[in-house]
Amino acid sequence: MKFCSECAAPIEIRIPEDDIHPRHVCSLCGVIHYQNPKMVVGSIPIWDIAGEAKVLLCRRAIQPRHGYWTLPAGFMENKETTSQAAMRETIEEAGANIALHDLFSILNVAHVHQVHLFYRASLLDMNFAAGVESLEVRLFSEQEIPWDEIAFPTVAHTLRFFFADLKQAQFKLHEQDITQTLTANKS
Ligand SMILES: [Zn+2]
């Protein structure tokens, strides 16, 4: 950000009075343009085939990580709830009709200013299809998941948590901090 969105004057980076963080402050009108983490919200859509859970993954048609596999997820919109965002992203990227269940994972990606949330979900039918941001969508059993081609660590962690909980037949909420060099498991 270089110019104020209120008055178009140049922005300067400084620590405002009574604050401890450097902020984007307008040099003319003094408005502080706060920058806060973005929410990325998605779902873990499951189709149960003869007692075996298969998860719906999307192969990305966009950067970053073009060609890699991901759970349907994306940036939350203003005036939207987290569950609405998860439903919308699942429809947009996978054309999938789902019933949304409990919140399953919260992943802090502090170094890129993001928080990722995933909800468990059930596919209501097999009428899914790749949206404009996906090259293809398909179901994977745990053994079929292309672990080396998963787009983001948040998705890999969420999938591993999911299949571990599935074996215990008990789902709990998982919190994980993703760092650039190592990960710290909190639950
Ligand atoms: Zn201004």
Side-chain angles (χ1 to χ4, degrees):
M1 177 171 222
K2 285 189 173 153
F3 298 99
C4 179
S5 55
E6 302 288 313
C7 76
I11 290 290
E12 56 190 25
I13 310 279
R14 62 179 174 84
I15 301 174
E17 214 174 307
D18 301 326
D19 201 340
I20 56 168
H21 297 288
R23 306 288 184 190
H24 291 70
V25 183
C26 177
S27 59
L28 185 64
C29 76
V31 161
I32 303 168
H33 299 276
Y34 291 98
Q35 299 193 347
N36 301 103
K38 285 188 158 49
M39 308 281 286
V40 173
V41 186
S43 75
I44 313 160
I46 297 299
W47 181 253
D48 210 294
I49 302 171
E52 185 186 26
K54 293 201 171 196
V55 62
L56 191 71
L57 298 181
C58 310
R59 201 151 76 85
R60 290 171 62 81
I62 52 171
Q63 295 294 352
R65 310 296 275 167
H66 182 279
Y68 284 73
W69 292 91
T70 187
L71 289 164
F75 289 106
M76 195 174 171
E77 300 285 1
N78 290 342
K79 301 192 175 179
E80 188 174 57
T81 67
T82 50
S83 57
Q84 286 168 344
M87 295 279 280
R88 178 182 52 73
E89 288 291 344
T90 304
I91 293 166
E92 283 178 8
E93 296 188 1
N97 301 308
I98 57 168
L100 211 62
H101 306 307
D102 292 341
L103 181 62
F104 181 71
S105 62
I106 300 177
L107 306 107
N108 289 289
V109 200
H111 61 281
V112 292
H113 319 148
Q114 292 178 4
V115 179
H116 294 200
L117 304 180
F118 289 92
Y119 284 82
R120 285 193 301 112
S122 299
L123 283 167
L124 298 177
D125 54 52
M126 291 281 277
N127 298 325
F128 50 79
V132 291
E133 294 183 0
S134 304
L135 296 170
E136 59 176 310
V137 290
R138 58 159 282 201
L139 291 168
F140 292 88
S141 67
E142 184 183 10
Q143 290 72 29
E144 293 168 334
I145 291 173
W147 294 105
D148 295 338
E149 297 168 41
I150 297 296
F152 307 106
T154 56
V155 172
H157 280 290
T158 296
L159 289 171
R160 289 193 192 281
F161 290 145
F162 177 83
F163 284 104
D165 279 13
L166 186 66
K167 289 189 186 74
Q168 307 288 325
Q170 192 172 14
F171 294 102
K172 59 174 183 160
L173 182 63
H174 295 263
E175 185 183 347
Q176 177 84 34
D177 295 342
I178 309 287
T179 66
Q180 279 166 302
T181 51
L182 59 121
T183 57
N185 194 349
K186 279 194 176 173
S187 60

